[in-house]
Amino acid sequence: MTVSDAPPIPRPARPPRDALRIAVVAPPWFELPPRGYGGIESVVADLVDSLAERGHEVTLVGSGHHRTRAARFVRVFDEPPSERLGTPAPEVIHAAAAGAALAELDVDVVHDHSLAGPLLARGRRVPTVVTMHGPVDGEQGEYFTALGDSVDVVAISDAQRRLNPGINWVGRVHNAIDVSSFPFRADKDDHVLWLGRFSPDKGPHLAIDAARAAGLRIVLAGKRSEPAEREFFEREVRPRLGRDAEYVGEADAALKRELLASARALAFPIQWEEPFGMVMIEAMACGTPVVALPRGSVPEVVDHGRSGLVVRDLADFPAALSLAADLDPAACRRHAERNFDLPVMAAGYERLFRAIVEGQRSVRALTGPRPSLRRLRERGVSA
């Protein structure tokens, strides 16, 4: 584990009053920002930069090299253990190293995006805020429910929060992107795009079937590095490929933007209650409407009839893919700017952190120990 001070970052002309000292713990699996796949890592890197730009002092805990504006970087793994994604040892090592480093630092709040890290929250003198990036049912839901009020949990969608009211939710902040980094194109090519991880939950095979039924060409790009992803691709996707259905590999940041900007629509036939689909806001930022099923966060993210079309079932998907070309690309871009740009997300977290820290300070002055902050859900800190 190494700790380094990053080069000085430019501060805004008018920093916020009482700037916060925030420690951000990233998952151990990829660098920040990631060079390819890594949706959580992209969000974390953007949030770190945005909070720093707003005048806060940010310490980042992560793996490999970082290209963020964090004032201090704690490196746990010299090389991210990406090939071991999902195995327990790297998570546990990461949590232990992060906990040891943070115990030596003077911070106001810890914002933890890892899986094992929140286990250390109960013994910490400052509050630990956890963003729930994944599902809240099953074993992961049981885990965060068991953590109780030792952590203050942020939902990334209202749909996610409704699925498990037993978790100590303190607010909701939608994920965001740097909209200005995505190219806007009003003139579109005549093809549909599917972009994501090759899994039955993401529905790439369903996207191919719907595009073919609509008489439209479809381009697919995405991750298939894990055994289950490769098996699914070979079984369900490869047999469907042809002249009107092309797989172009896993898209890096540049190719992803090119594909999103040129497509007439993004096909998003999601098959699970996904808490938040980043690719939807990336598409809208490029002026590309989203055609999706109403699962998970979709109804919160897509403005039906303006930035996309939300259809009830797969039978309506082909027609919606055809009709999406009639939507205004500029309206898609405006929707992304107003609701899912980085300043919106950063302001939401800033309000939430400040409410938690100030609530903690006021009660500790009277009682000493860290209080339950469940009441913050009533204080309007959601963004």
Side-chain angles (χ1 to χ4, degrees):
M1 180 181 69
T2 59
V3 180
S4 62
D5 291 324
I9 61 174
R11 297 294 187 188
R14 299 176 65 183
R17 184 184 61 186
D18 301 327
L20 296 169
R21 296 162 298 177
I22 305 164
V24 176
V25 182
W29 310 112
F30 301 99
E31 292 184 348
L32 274 77
R35 299 184 184 276
Y37 180 81
I40 296 174
E41 287 78 10
S42 293
V43 171
V44 174
D46 284 339
L47 180 59
V48 165
D49 286 347
S50 298
L51 291 171
E53 288 169 1
R54 295 173 75 88
H56 302 293
E57 180 181 301
V58 183
T59 297
L60 173 63
V61 181
S63 295
H65 299 282
H66 79 110
R67 299 176 303 284
T68 74
R69 298 185 180 184
R72 183 183 292 108
F73 180 56
V74 178
R75 181 184 295 109
V76 176
F77 294 100
D78 289 336
E79 293 293 332
S82 308
E83 73 285 352
R84 299 180 65 190
L85 179 65
T87 59
E91 274 279 3
V92 174
I93 294 169
H94 185 70
L102 294 177
E104 302 298 320
L105 298 178
D106 187 14
V107 299
D108 297 308
V109 61
V110 175
H111 189 194
D112 202 324
H113 299 263
S114 70
L115 181 61
L119 289 169
L120 303 177
R122 197 173 295 278
R124 194 170 280 145
R125 63 179 179 78
V126 299
T128 298
V129 175
V130 175
T131 296
M132 279 294 291
H133 292 283
V136 296
D137 55 0
E139 291 183 339
Q140 183 159 302
E142 293 176 10
Y143 167 50
F144 280 94
T145 301
L147 288 171
D149 62 11
S150 67
V151 294
D152 302 310
V153 187
V154 182
I156 56 177
S157 67
D158 294 329
Q160 181 192 46
R161 182 162 50 177
R162 287 192 297 268
L163 287 174
N164 191 339
I167 291 175
N168 185 37
W169 301 112
V170 296
R172 186 269 297 151
V173 182
H174 283 142
N175 285 337
I177 57 172
D178 180 2
V179 172
S180 67
S181 74
F182 285 81
F184 172 76
R185 263 189 64 175
D187 58 314
K188 303 293 185 181
D189 296 340
D190 197 26
H191 69 266
V192 171
L193 175 68
W194 179 91
L195 180 66
R197 174 173 53 85
F198 281 97
S199 161
D201 289 340
K202 300 287 188 176
H205 55 313
L206 304 177
I208 296 173
D209 293 345
R212 188 164 283 150
L216 296 170
R217 179 171 171 265
I218 185 170
V219 173
L220 300 99
K223 172 179 172 291
R224 58 183 186 110
S225 58
E226 297 179 44
E229 295 164 350
R230 292 194 295 270
E231 191 277 333
F232 171 75
F233 183 90
E234 295 300 326
R235 186 182 74 249
E236 297 290 347
V237 177
R238 189 178 297 280
R240 287 175 163 87
L241 299 179
R243 295 182 61 183
D244 60 348
E246 179 186 6
Y247 171 60
V248 296
E250 183 174 346
D252 60 13
L255 178 58
K256 176 173 69 173
R257 284 162 170 76
E258 178 184 337
L259 293 171
L260 287 167
S262 63
R264 62 180 284 154
L266 175 77
F268 196 72
I270 195 72
Q271 295 295 294
W272 71 295
E273 305 304 320
E274 185 168 23
F276 198 94
M278 292 295 293
V279 69
M280 291 190 288
I281 60 176
E282 293 171 341
M284 293 185 295
C286 294
T288 299
V290 178
V291 176
L293 296 175
R295 303 288 298 269
S297 67
V298 167
E300 296 175 49
V301 175
V302 179
D303 186 0
H304 177 68
R306 291 184 176 86
S307 69
L309 297 171
V310 182
V311 297
R312 292 186 177 183
D313 54 54
L314 284 169
D316 299 322
F317 222 88
L321 289 175
S322 297
L323 291 172
D326 296 332
L327 298 179
D328 181 10
C332 297
R333 177 78 168 202
R334 286 194 299 271
H335 183 64
E337 290 173 335
R338 291 170 180 169
N339 298 281
F340 306 108
D341 207 357
L342 292 182
V344 180
M345 177 176 70
Y349 276 109
E350 183 182 275
R351 289 195 299 271
L352 190 146
F353 292 154
R354 199 174 297 284
I356 290 174
V357 169
E358 291 177 356
Q360 159 115 344
R361 287 170 178 162
S362 64
V363 177
R364 287 186 71 186
L366 298 173
T367 65
R370 183 174 188 272
S372 168
L373 297 172
R374 190 178 289 270
R375 68 186 183 281
L376 285 172
R377 290 178 295 179
E378 310 301 325
R379 294 180 57 177
V381 295
S382 295

PDB file of all heavy atoms in Angstrom, residues 305-340:
ATOM      1  N   GLY A 305     -41.307   9.701 -24.657  1.00  0.00           N
ATOM      2  CA  GLY A 305     -41.828  10.572 -25.696  1.00  0.00           C
ATOM      3  C   GLY A 305     -40.932  11.746 -26.010  1.00  0.00           C
ATOM      4  O   GLY A 305     -41.174  12.451 -27.003  1.00  0.00           O
ATOM      5  N   ARG A 306     -39.890  11.972 -25.197  1.00  0.00           N
ATOM      6  CA  ARG A 306     -38.956  13.072 -25.449  1.00  0.00           C
ATOM      7  C   ARG A 306     -37.515  12.570 -25.608  1.00  0.00           C
ATOM      8  O   ARG A 306     -36.874  12.864 -26.608  1.00  0.00           O
ATOM      9  CB  ARG A 306     -39.048  14.109 -24.334  1.00  0.00           C
ATOM     10  CG  ARG A 306     -40.366  14.881 -24.331  1.00  0.00           C
ATOM     11  CD  ARG A 306     -40.363  15.979 -23.264  1.00  0.00           C
ATOM     12  NE  ARG A 306     -41.566  16.786 -23.315  1.00  0.00           N
ATOM     13  CZ  ARG A 306     -42.703  16.472 -22.698  1.00  0.00           C
ATOM     14  NH1 ARG A 306     -42.772  15.346 -21.984  1.00  0.00           N
ATOM     15  NH2 ARG A 306     -43.760  17.257 -22.783  1.00  0.00           N
ATOM     16  N   SER A 307     -37.029  11.843 -24.602  1.00  0.00           N
ATOM     17  CA  SER A 307     -35.651  11.348 -24.713  1.00  0.00           C
ATOM     18  C   SER A 307     -35.611   9.856 -25.016  1.00  0.00           C
ATOM     19  O   SER A 307     -34.546   9.266 -25.027  1.00  0.00           O
ATOM     20  CB  SER A 307     -34.884  11.632 -23.425  1.00  0.00           C
ATOM     21  OG  SER A 307     -35.370  10.835 -22.359  1.00  0.00           O
ATOM     22  N   GLY A 308     -36.769   9.272 -25.259  1.00  0.00           N
ATOM     23  CA  GLY A 308     -36.827   7.857 -25.594  1.00  0.00           C
ATOM     24  C   GLY A 308     -38.242   7.344 -25.528  1.00  0.00           C
ATOM     25  O   GLY A 308     -39.197   8.114 -25.342  1.00  0.00           O
ATOM     26  N   LEU A 309     -38.373   6.038 -25.672  1.00  0.00           N
ATOM     27  CA  LEU A 309     -39.675   5.383 -25.624  1.00  0.00           C
ATOM     28  C   LEU A 309     -39.588   4.207 -24.661  1.00  0.00           C
ATOM     29  O   LEU A 309     -38.706   3.347 -24.792  1.00  0.00           O
ATOM     30  CB  LEU A 309     -40.088   4.897 -27.011  1.00  0.00           C
ATOM     31  CG  LEU A 309     -40.292   5.993 -28.072  1.00  0.00           C
ATOM     32  CD1 LEU A 309     -40.489   5.368 -29.455  1.00  0.00           C
ATOM     33  CD2 LEU A 309     -41.475   6.884 -27.711  1.00  0.00           C
ATOM     34  N   VAL A 310     -40.491   4.179 -23.688  1.00  0.00           N
ATOM     35  CA  VAL A 310     -40.558   3.091 -22.724  1.00  0.00           C
ATOM     36  C   VAL A 310     -41.780   2.246 -23.066  1.00  0.00           C
ATOM     37  O   VAL A 310     -42.915   2.735 -22.994  1.00  0.00           O
ATOM     38  CB  VAL A 310     -40.663   3.621 -21.282  1.00  0.00           C
ATOM     39  CG1 VAL A 310     -40.686   2.462 -20.294  1.00  0.00           C
ATOM     40  CG2 VAL A 310     -39.504   4.566 -20.971  1.00  0.00           C
ATOM     41  N   VAL A 311     -41.550   1.011 -23.489  1.00  0.00           N
ATOM     42  CA  VAL A 311     -42.645   0.147 -23.945  1.00  0.00           C
ATOM     43  C   VAL A 311     -42.904  -0.947 -22.924  1.00  0.00           C
ATOM     44  O   VAL A 311     -42.008  -1.364 -22.195  1.00  0.00           O
ATOM     45  CB  VAL A 311     -42.325  -0.472 -25.323  1.00  0.00           C
ATOM     46  CG1 VAL A 311     -42.181   0.618 -26.371  1.00  0.00           C
ATOM     47  CG2 VAL A 311     -41.053  -1.309 -25.269  1.00  0.00           C
ATOM     48  N   ARG A 312     -44.148  -1.413 -22.874  1.00  0.00           N
ATOM     49  CA  ARG A 312     -44.548  -2.346 -21.829  1.00  0.00           C
ATOM     50  C   ARG A 312     -43.976  -3.741 -22.016  1.00  0.00           C
ATOM     51  O   ARG A 312     -43.653  -4.432 -21.062  1.00  0.00           O
ATOM     52  CB  ARG A 312     -46.071  -2.415 -21.745  1.00  0.00           C
ATOM     53  CG  ARG A 312     -46.702  -1.123 -21.240  1.00  0.00           C
ATOM     54  CD  ARG A 312     -48.192  -1.306 -21.036  1.00  0.00           C
ATOM     55  NE  ARG A 312     -48.799  -0.109 -20.488  1.00  0.00           N
ATOM     56  CZ  ARG A 312     -50.081   0.000 -20.160  1.00  0.00           C
ATOM     57  NH1 ARG A 312     -50.895  -1.040 -20.351  1.00  0.00           N
ATOM     58  NH2 ARG A 312     -50.560   1.133 -19.671  1.00  0.00           N
ATOM     59  N   ASP A 313     -43.874  -4.202 -23.252  1.00  0.00           N
ATOM     60  CA  ASP A 313     -43.369  -5.558 -23.458  1.00  0.00           C
ATOM     61  C   ASP A 313     -42.605  -5.647 -24.764  1.00  0.00           C
ATOM     62  O   ASP A 313     -42.598  -4.711 -25.577  1.00  0.00           O
ATOM     63  CB  ASP A 313     -44.506  -6.588 -23.412  1.00  0.00           C
ATOM     64  CG  ASP A 313     -45.626  -6.247 -24.384  1.00  0.00           C
ATOM     65  OD1 ASP A 313     -45.340  -6.062 -25.586  1.00  0.00           O
ATOM     66  OD2 ASP A 313     -46.789  -6.158 -23.940  1.00  0.00           O
ATOM     67  N   LEU A 314     -41.974  -6.788 -24.977  1.00  0.00           N
ATOM     68  CA  LEU A 314     -41.113  -6.972 -26.143  1.00  0.00           C
ATOM     69  C   LEU A 314     -41.873  -6.914 -27.456  1.00  0.00           C
ATOM     70  O   LEU A 314     -41.293  -6.572 -28.499  1.00  0.00           O
ATOM     71  CB  LEU A 314     -40.373  -8.301 -26.024  1.00  0.00           C
ATOM     72  CG  LEU A 314     -39.206  -8.327 -25.035  1.00  0.00           C
ATOM     73  CD1 LEU A 314     -38.738  -9.755 -24.812  1.00  0.00           C
ATOM     74  CD2 LEU A 314     -38.069  -7.458 -25.552  1.00  0.00           C
ATOM     75  N   ALA A 315     -43.168  -7.230 -27.434  1.00  0.00           N
ATOM     76  CA  ALA A 315     -43.946  -7.190 -28.667  1.00  0.00           C
ATOM     77  C   ALA A 315     -43.982  -5.793 -29.263  1.00  0.00           C
ATOM     78  O   ALA A 315     -44.110  -5.630 -30.486  1.00  0.00           O
ATOM     79  CB  ALA A 315     -45.361  -7.691 -28.390  1.00  0.00           C
ATOM     80  N   ASP A 316     -43.855  -4.770 -28.416  1.00  0.00           N
ATOM     81  CA  ASP A 316     -43.890  -3.384 -28.892  1.00  0.00           C
ATOM     82  C   ASP A 316     -42.509  -2.832 -29.240  1.00  0.00           C
ATOM     83  O   ASP A 316     -42.396  -1.706 -29.725  1.00  0.00           O
ATOM     84  CB  ASP A 316     -44.521  -2.491 -27.821  1.00  0.00           C
ATOM     85  CG  ASP A 316     -45.948  -2.891 -27.500  1.00  0.00           C
ATOM     86  OD1 ASP A 316     -46.674  -3.268 -28.428  1.00  0.00           O
ATOM     87  OD2 ASP A 316     -46.336  -2.825 -26.313  1.00  0.00           O
ATOM     88  N   PHE A 317     -41.474  -3.621 -28.983  1.00  0.00           N
ATOM     89  CA  PHE A 317     -40.116  -3.107 -29.148  1.00  0.00           C
ATOM     90  C   PHE A 317     -39.760  -2.779 -30.594  1.00  0.00           C
ATOM     91  O   PHE A 317     -39.193  -1.710 -30.865  1.00  0.00           O
ATOM     92  CB  PHE A 317     -39.104  -4.106 -28.558  1.00  0.00           C
ATOM     93  CG  PHE A 317     -38.009  -3.459 -27.773  1.00  0.00           C
ATOM     94  CD1 PHE A 317     -38.154  -3.204 -26.421  1.00  0.00           C
ATOM     95  CD2 PHE A 317     -36.823  -3.097 -28.383  1.00  0.00           C
ATOM     96  CE1 PHE A 317     -37.138  -2.613 -25.685  1.00  0.00           C
ATOM     97  CE2 PHE A 317     -35.798  -2.500 -27.675  1.00  0.00           C
ATOM     98  CZ  PHE A 317     -35.955  -2.255 -26.315  1.00  0.00           C
ATOM     99  N   PRO A 318     -40.063  -3.641 -31.567  1.00  0.00           N
ATOM    100  CA  PRO A 318     -39.697  -3.305 -32.956  1.00  0.00           C
ATOM    101  C   PRO A 318     -40.319  -1.995 -33.434  1.00  0.00           C
ATOM    102  O   PRO A 318     -39.627  -1.168 -34.057  1.00  0.00           O
ATOM    103  CB  PRO A 318     -40.224  -4.499 -33.756  1.00  0.00           C
ATOM    104  CG  PRO A 318     -40.220  -5.633 -32.770  1.00  0.00           C
ATOM    105  CD  PRO A 318     -40.614  -5.006 -31.472  1.00  0.00           C
ATOM    106  N   ALA A 319     -41.583  -1.784 -33.144  1.00  0.00           N
ATOM    107  CA  ALA A 319     -42.232  -0.549 -33.566  1.00  0.00           C
ATOM    108  C   ALA A 319     -41.597   0.665 -32.901  1.00  0.00           C
ATOM    109  O   ALA A 319     -41.416   1.721 -33.532  1.00  0.00           O
ATOM    110  CB  ALA A 319     -43.728  -0.601 -33.255  1.00  0.00           C
ATOM    111  N   ALA A 320     -41.241   0.523 -31.633  1.00  0.00           N
ATOM    112  CA  ALA A 320     -40.618   1.636 -30.928  1.00  0.00           C
ATOM    113  C   ALA A 320     -39.247   1.969 -31.504  1.00  0.00           C
ATOM    114  O   ALA A 320     -38.868   3.143 -31.598  1.00  0.00           O
ATOM    115  CB  ALA A 320     -40.505   1.302 -29.437  1.00  0.00           C
ATOM    116  N   LEU A 321     -38.486   0.959 -31.898  1.00  0.00           N
ATOM    117  CA  LEU A 321     -37.191   1.223 -32.527  1.00  0.00           C
ATOM    118  C   LEU A 321     -37.361   2.024 -33.809  1.00  0.00           C
ATOM    119  O   LEU A 321     -36.545   2.898 -34.124  1.00  0.00           O
ATOM    120  CB  LEU A 321     -36.472  -0.096 -32.820  1.00  0.00           C
ATOM    121  CG  LEU A 321     -35.935  -0.870 -31.612  1.00  0.00           C
ATOM    122  CD1 LEU A 321     -35.354  -2.212 -32.057  1.00  0.00           C
ATOM    123  CD2 LEU A 321     -34.872  -0.069 -30.855  1.00  0.00           C
ATOM    124  N   SER A 322     -38.412   1.740 -34.553  1.00  0.00           N
ATOM    125  CA  SER A 322     -38.672   2.496 -35.782  1.00  0.00           C
ATOM    126  C   SER A 322     -39.104   3.923 -35.472  1.00  0.00           C
ATOM    127  O   SER A 322     -38.662   4.874 -36.128  1.00  0.00           O
ATOM    128  CB  SER A 322     -39.757   1.795 -36.607  1.00  0.00           C
ATOM    129  OG  SER A 322     -39.329   0.508 -37.021  1.00  0.00           O
ATOM    130  N   LEU A 323     -39.962   4.092 -34.468  1.00  0.00           N
ATOM    131  CA  LEU A 323     -40.492   5.412 -34.136  1.00  0.00           C
ATOM    132  C   LEU A 323     -39.471   6.314 -33.454  1.00  0.00           C
ATOM    133  O   LEU A 323     -39.618   7.541 -33.470  1.00  0.00           O
ATOM    134  CB  LEU A 323     -41.711   5.261 -33.220  1.00  0.00           C
ATOM    135  CG  LEU A 323     -42.962   4.654 -33.848  1.00  0.00           C
ATOM    136  CD1 LEU A 323     -44.005   4.380 -32.775  1.00  0.00           C
ATOM    137  CD2 LEU A 323     -43.523   5.592 -34.921  1.00  0.00           C
ATOM    138  N   ALA A 324     -38.448   5.735 -32.858  1.00  0.00           N
ATOM    139  CA  ALA A 324     -37.475   6.539 -32.108  1.00  0.00           C
ATOM    140  C   ALA A 324     -36.788   7.577 -32.980  1.00  0.00           C
ATOM    141  O   ALA A 324     -36.369   8.630 -32.485  1.00  0.00           O
ATOM    142  CB  ALA A 324     -36.432   5.626 -31.465  1.00  0.00           C
ATOM    143  N   ALA A 325     -36.675   7.308 -34.268  1.00  0.00           N
ATOM    144  CA  ALA A 325     -36.016   8.250 -35.172  1.00  0.00           C
ATOM    145  C   ALA A 325     -36.767   9.569 -35.267  1.00  0.00           C
ATOM    146  O   ALA A 325     -36.204  10.583 -35.696  1.00  0.00           O
ATOM    147  CB  ALA A 325     -35.868   7.634 -36.559  1.00  0.00           C
ATOM    148  N   ASP A 326     -38.045   9.594 -34.857  1.00  0.00           N
ATOM    149  CA  ASP A 326     -38.833  10.828 -34.913  1.00  0.00           C
ATOM    150  C   ASP A 326     -38.590  11.736 -33.715  1.00  0.00           C
ATOM    151  O   ASP A 326     -39.042  12.883 -33.711  1.00  0.00           O
ATOM    152  CB  ASP A 326     -40.330  10.491 -34.984  1.00  0.00           C
ATOM    153  CG  ASP A 326     -40.699   9.752 -36.262  1.00  0.00           C
ATOM    154  OD1 ASP A 326     -40.005   9.946 -37.276  1.00  0.00           O
ATOM    155  OD2 ASP A 326     -41.675   8.984 -36.233  1.00  0.00           O
ATOM    156  N   LEU A 327     -37.903  11.248 -32.690  1.00  0.00           N
ATOM    157  CA  LEU A 327     -37.649  12.066 -31.510  1.00  0.00           C
ATOM    158  C   LEU A 327     -36.515  13.055 -31.773  1.00  0.00           C
ATOM    159  O   LEU A 327     -35.613  12.803 -32.578  1.00  0.00           O
ATOM    160  CB  LEU A 327     -37.306  11.175 -30.318  1.00  0.00           C
ATOM    161  CG  LEU A 327     -38.410  10.199 -29.889  1.00  0.00           C
ATOM    162  CD1 LEU A 327     -37.937   9.361 -28.702  1.00  0.00           C
ATOM    163  CD2 LEU A 327     -39.691  10.936 -29.538  1.00  0.00           C
ATOM    164  N   ASP A 328     -36.550  14.176 -31.082  1.00  0.00           N
ATOM    165  CA  ASP A 328     -35.597  15.266 -31.292  1.00  0.00           C
ATOM    166  C   ASP A 328     -34.282  14.987 -30.563  1.00  0.00           C
ATOM    167  O   ASP A 328     -34.273  14.911 -29.329  1.00  0.00           O
ATOM    168  CB  ASP A 328     -36.215  16.570 -30.781  1.00  0.00           C
ATOM    169  CG  ASP A 328     -35.306  17.773 -30.971  1.00  0.00           C
ATOM    170  OD1 ASP A 328     -34.265  17.637 -31.664  1.00  0.00           O
ATOM    171  OD2 ASP A 328     -35.628  18.851 -30.427  1.00  0.00           O
ATOM    172  N   PRO A 329     -33.171  14.829 -31.276  1.00  0.00           N
ATOM    173  CA  PRO A 329     -31.886  14.593 -30.599  1.00  0.00           C
ATOM    174  C   PRO A 329     -31.525  15.684 -29.601  1.00  0.00           C
ATOM    175  O   PRO A 329     -30.952  15.401 -28.543  1.00  0.00           O
ATOM    176  CB  PRO A 329     -30.884  14.532 -31.752  1.00  0.00           C
ATOM    177  CG  PRO A 329     -31.699  14.093 -32.931  1.00  0.00           C
ATOM    178  CD  PRO A 329     -33.032  14.761 -32.742  1.00  0.00           C
ATOM    179  N   ALA A 330     -31.878  16.947 -29.914  1.00  0.00           N
ATOM    180  CA  ALA A 330     -31.551  18.041 -28.990  1.00  0.00           C
ATOM    181  C   ALA A 330     -32.302  17.901 -27.675  1.00  0.00           C
ATOM    182  O   ALA A 330     -31.777  18.246 -26.610  1.00  0.00           O
ATOM    183  CB  ALA A 330     -31.871  19.383 -29.641  1.00  0.00           C
ATOM    184  N   ALA A 331     -33.523  17.380 -27.717  1.00  0.00           N
ATOM    185  CA  ALA A 331     -34.285  17.162 -26.489  1.00  0.00           C
ATOM    186  C   ALA A 331     -33.632  16.077 -25.639  1.00  0.00           C
ATOM    187  O   ALA A 331     -33.640  16.152 -24.403  1.00  0.00           O
ATOM    188  CB  ALA A 331     -35.725  16.792 -26.825  1.00  0.00           C
ATOM    189  N   CYS A 332     -33.073  15.062 -26.288  1.00  0.00           N
ATOM    190  CA  CYS A 332     -32.346  14.021 -25.553  1.00  0.00           C
ATOM    191  C   CYS A 332     -31.158  14.620 -24.818  1.00  0.00           C
ATOM    192  O   CYS A 332     -30.926  14.335 -23.635  1.00  0.00           O
ATOM    193  CB  CYS A 332     -31.875  12.929 -26.512  1.00  0.00           C
ATOM    194  SG  CYS A 332     -33.180  12.025 -27.361  1.00  0.00           S
ATOM    195  N   ARG A 333     -30.405  15.448 -25.509  1.00  0.00           N
ATOM    196  CA  ARG A 333     -29.228  16.083 -24.907  1.00  0.00           C
ATOM    197  C   ARG A 333     -29.624  16.980 -23.735  1.00  0.00           C
ATOM    198  O   ARG A 333     -28.993  16.953 -22.678  1.00  0.00           O
ATOM    199  CB  ARG A 333     -28.502  16.895 -25.979  1.00  0.00           C
ATOM    200  CG  ARG A 333     -27.285  17.688 -25.491  1.00  0.00           C
ATOM    201  CD  ARG A 333     -26.081  16.815 -25.306  1.00  0.00           C
ATOM    202  NE  ARG A 333     -24.868  17.607 -25.122  1.00  0.00           N
ATOM    203  CZ  ARG A 333     -23.638  17.170 -25.336  1.00  0.00           C
ATOM    204  NH1 ARG A 333     -23.450  15.932 -25.744  1.00  0.00           N
ATOM    205  NH2 ARG A 333     -22.596  17.949 -25.153  1.00  0.00           N
ATOM    206  N   ARG A 334     -30.675  17.779 -23.910  1.00  0.00           N
ATOM    207  CA  ARG A 334     -31.118  18.676 -22.834  1.00  0.00           C
ATOM    208  C   ARG A 334     -31.540  17.878 -21.600  1.00  0.00           C
ATOM    209  O   ARG A 334     -31.254  18.277 -20.464  1.00  0.00           O
ATOM    210  CB  ARG A 334     -32.273  19.555 -23.312  1.00  0.00           C
ATOM    211  CG  ARG A 334     -31.865  20.676 -24.252  1.00  0.00           C
ATOM    212  CD  ARG A 334     -32.975  21.692 -24.405  1.00  0.00           C
ATOM    213  NE  ARG A 334     -34.190  21.104 -24.970  1.00  0.00           N
ATOM    214  CZ  ARG A 334     -34.451  21.030 -26.275  1.00  0.00           C
ATOM    215  NH1 ARG A 334     -33.572  21.502 -27.152  1.00  0.00           N
ATOM    216  NH2 ARG A 334     -35.573  20.496 -26.706  1.00  0.00           N
ATOM    217  N   HIS A 335     -32.204  16.762 -21.812  1.00  0.00           N
ATOM    218  CA  HIS A 335     -32.639  15.943 -20.686  1.00  0.00           C
ATOM    219  C   HIS A 335     -31.431  15.421 -19.906  1.00  0.00           C
ATOM    220  O   HIS A 335     -31.441  15.412 -18.669  1.00  0.00           O
ATOM    221  CB  HIS A 335     -33.478  14.770 -21.198  1.00  0.00           C
ATOM    222  CG  HIS A 335     -34.027  13.899 -20.120  1.00  0.00           C
ATOM    223  ND1 HIS A 335     -34.936  14.335 -19.187  1.00  0.00           N
ATOM    224  CD2 HIS A 335     -33.777  12.587 -19.807  1.00  0.00           C
ATOM    225  CE1 HIS A 335     -35.240  13.343 -18.357  1.00  0.00           C
ATOM    226  NE2 HIS A 335     -34.546  12.278 -18.715  1.00  0.00           N
ATOM    227  N   ALA A 336     -30.395  15.013 -20.618  1.00  0.00           N
ATOM    228  CA  ALA A 336     -29.176  14.543 -19.949  1.00  0.00           C
ATOM    229  C   ALA A 336     -28.496  15.678 -19.196  1.00  0.00           C
ATOM    230  O   ALA A 336     -28.044  15.494 -18.054  1.00  0.00           O
ATOM    231  CB  ALA A 336     -28.225  13.928 -20.972  1.00  0.00           C
ATOM    232  N   GLU A 337     -28.422  16.844 -19.794  1.00  0.00           N
ATOM    233  CA  GLU A 337     -27.761  17.981 -19.147  1.00  0.00           C
ATOM    234  C   GLU A 337     -28.476  18.405 -17.875  1.00  0.00           C
ATOM    235  O   GLU A 337     -27.842  18.707 -16.854  1.00  0.00           O
ATOM    236  CB  GLU A 337     -27.688  19.152 -20.112  1.00  0.00           C
ATOM    237  CG  GLU A 337     -26.718  18.960 -21.266  1.00  0.00           C
ATOM    238  CD  GLU A 337     -26.797  20.055 -22.302  1.00  0.00           C
ATOM    239  OE1 GLU A 337     -27.870  20.704 -22.429  1.00  0.00           O
ATOM    240  OE2 GLU A 337     -25.791  20.282 -23.002  1.00  0.00           O
ATOM    241  N   ARG A 338     -29.788  18.442 -17.918  1.00  0.00           N
ATOM    242  CA  ARG A 338     -30.554  18.947 -16.785  1.00  0.00           C
ATOM    243  C   ARG A 338     -30.614  17.974 -15.615  1.00  0.00           C
ATOM    244  O   ARG A 338     -30.747  18.392 -14.464  1.00  0.00           O
ATOM    245  CB  ARG A 338     -31.981  19.287 -17.236  1.00  0.00           C
ATOM    246  CG  ARG A 338     -32.059  20.486 -18.172  1.00  0.00           C
ATOM    247  CD  ARG A 338     -33.450  20.615 -18.755  1.00  0.00           C
ATOM    248  NE  ARG A 338     -33.546  21.758 -19.668  1.00  0.00           N
ATOM    249  CZ  ARG A 338     -34.575  21.992 -20.466  1.00  0.00           C
ATOM    250  NH1 ARG A 338     -35.611  21.149 -20.477  1.00  0.00           N
ATOM    251  NH2 ARG A 338     -34.586  23.058 -21.252  1.00  0.00           N
ATOM    252  N   ASN A 339     -30.519  16.689 -15.900  1.00  0.00           N
ATOM    253  CA  ASN A 339     -30.771  15.701 -14.864  1.00  0.00           C
ATOM    254  C   ASN A 339     -29.592  14.801 -14.520  1.00  0.00           C
ATOM    255  O   ASN A 339     -29.541  14.271 -13.394  1.00  0.00           O
ATOM    256  CB  ASN A 339     -31.944  14.809 -15.278  1.00  0.00           C
ATOM    257  CG  ASN A 339     -33.230  15.586 -15.438  1.00  0.00           C
ATOM    258  OD1 ASN A 339     -33.895  15.909 -14.455  1.00  0.00           O
ATOM    259  ND2 ASN A 339     -33.588  15.900 -16.677  1.00  0.00           N
ATOM    260  N   PHE A 340     -28.648  14.632 -15.452  1.00  0.00           N
ATOM    261  CA  PHE A 340     -27.614  13.617 -15.242  1.00  0.00           C
ATOM    262  C   PHE A 340     -26.213  14.124 -15.564  1.00  0.00           C
ATOM    263  O   PHE A 340     -25.331  13.341 -15.889  1.00  0.00           O
ATOM    264  CB  PHE A 340     -27.935  12.364 -16.073  1.00  0.00           C
ATOM    265  CG  PHE A 340     -29.313  11.821 -15.814  1.00  0.00           C
ATOM    266  CD1 PHE A 340     -30.315  11.950 -16.759  1.00  0.00           C
ATOM    267  CD2 PHE A 340     -29.612  11.211 -14.608  1.00  0.00           C
ATOM    268  CE1 PHE A 340     -31.591  11.463 -16.522  1.00  0.00           C
ATOM    269  CE2 PHE A 340     -30.882  10.718 -14.349  1.00  0.00           C
ATOM    270  CZ  PHE A 340     -31.879  10.843 -15.303  1.00  0.00           C
TER     271      PHE A 340
END
